[in-house]
Amino acid sequence: MYNIAIDGPAGAGKSTIAKLVAKKLGFIYVDTGSMYRTLALACIRAGVSAEEKDKVVDVCNSVQVSLEYVDGNQVVRLNGEDVSGYIRNEEVGNMTSAIAVYEPVREILVKMQQKIATEQDLVMDGRDIGSVVLPNANLKIYLTASVETRARRRYKELVEKGVECDINEIAKDIEDRDYRDMHREVSPLTQTEDAVLVDSSDMTIDEVVEKIISYVNK
Ligand code: DC
């Protein structure tokens, strides 16, 4: 199997890039963030709060997360229900970062991710893919962009959606989240020694995709 691991901070464009690279190569794209988000949704639905570690772990152990591919797009299921439409909001996002620090929660998903990687050629993105999930990946990419660039991209997205926002506040949120992701005790975001650094600040999406494909062909 050929496995590509893409890690990096929030807003660096990992999912956009990973999806396009997978499509070009005919691989599947595994979005691990959506798996963590699905367990967070299960906790919210069960009425458990993030601080109740034992209950969170119980809920996560009692539900089933599964992935499916429809027209090349990942669909994530919670006990068989397609929950793709319920996991991309602030409430779920906050719950996700809170429960993703629990080792037993990560273990459940890491095992699943490792199994998928033995069965299929894939591009997998997240925070701990090159470091923990797929330490032997054929190619590891650490995709980043400056805080200013990521803030500008996020600001544009929100403005296009008609959401009022302040670009300085967005930049501050990004900095805070980077700090939390990089300094948490369990599986912090780091660039492994064998990962190729790609800084997308001054690159177009196509340029980043081509760059990664060029590493595959090397
Ligand atoms: O990439 P995302 O925004 O969908 O990730 C949601 C949250 O899950 C984020 O707080 C980081 C966490 N996460 C993680 O801890 N490990 C991963 N492999 C993927 C995501």
Side-chain angles (χ1 to χ4, degrees):
M1 293 300 127
Y2 197 97
N3 294 160
I4 301 175
I6 303 186
D7 292 295
K14 292 189 299 289
S15 61
T16 305
I17 301 296
K19 223 180 272 176
L20 289 168
V21 170
K23 200 168 177 194
K24 279 220 161 171
L25 296 171
F27 292 7
I28 61 162
Y29 161 53
V30 178
D31 165 9
T32 61
S34 75
M35 298 165 82
Y36 285 91
R37 287 171 180 272
T38 299
L39 287 182
L41 177 69
C43 292
I44 292 170
R45 286 184 174 177
V48 168
S49 78
E51 298 75 47
E52 301 174 288
K53 180 179 175 184
D54 292 347
K55 287 190 186 167
V56 166
V57 172
D58 278 349
V59 170
C60 295
N61 272 314
S62 69
V63 298
Q64 205 199 354
V65 176
S66 52
L67 300 182
E68 203 180 289
Y69 291 85
V70 179
D71 299 333
N73 293 315
Q74 176 183 296
V75 167
V76 61
R77 292 185 182 273
L78 173 60
N79 293 332
E81 174 195 353
D82 176 2
V83 292
S84 314
Y86 304 117
I87 56 173
R88 309 249 151 237
N89 57 54
E90 283 301 303
E91 188 191 11
V92 172
N94 290 333
M95 183 62 134
T96 307
S97 63
I99 69 162
V101 303
Y102 297 143
E103 187 69 52
V105 172
R106 303 197 68 86
E107 248 173 53
I108 299 169
L109 296 182
V110 168
K111 269 195 205 135
M112 247 187 96
Q113 291 153 5
Q114 289 174 332
K115 180 161 182 287
I116 300 170
T118 63
E119 297 164 346
Q120 267 160 305
D121 293 323
L122 54 76
V123 181
M124 189 180 282
D125 78 353
R127 307 291 188 287
D128 59 339
I129 310 307
S131 56
V132 176
V133 182
L134 306 175
N136 299 317
N138 304 77
L139 174 64
K140 296 182 188 178
I141 304 287
Y142 188 82
L143 183 65
T144 188
S146 67
V147 171
E148 295 71 38
T149 303
R150 287 185 282 144
R152 231 182 304 119
R153 289 178 187 160
R154 182 76 187 136
Y155 177 77
K156 208 169 143 236
E157 263 174 32
L158 290 170
V159 169
E160 275 164 15
K161 278 192 201 163
V163 180
E164 244 181 70
C165 53
D166 177 305
I167 194 160
N168 295 317
E169 257 173 47
I170 295 174
K172 174 86 178 55
D173 281 350
I174 289 175
E175 274 180 340
D176 289 350
R177 196 159 158 197
D178 281 1
Y179 188 87
R180 277 204 305 275
D181 281 352
M182 292 173 187
H183 293 85
R184 71 181 181 203
E185 227 167 275
V186 187
S187 305
L189 170 65
T190 53
Q191 182 190 343
T192 58
E193 256 175 41
D194 52 353
V196 184
L197 174 70
V198 177
D199 184 330
S200 73
S201 302
D202 298 311
M203 293 169 83
T204 64
I205 292 172
D206 283 346
E207 284 169 346
V208 178
V209 171
E210 284 314 315
K211 179 144 215 170
I212 294 175
I213 302 276
S214 78
Y215 288 120
V216 176
N217 293 332
K218 251 183 207 166

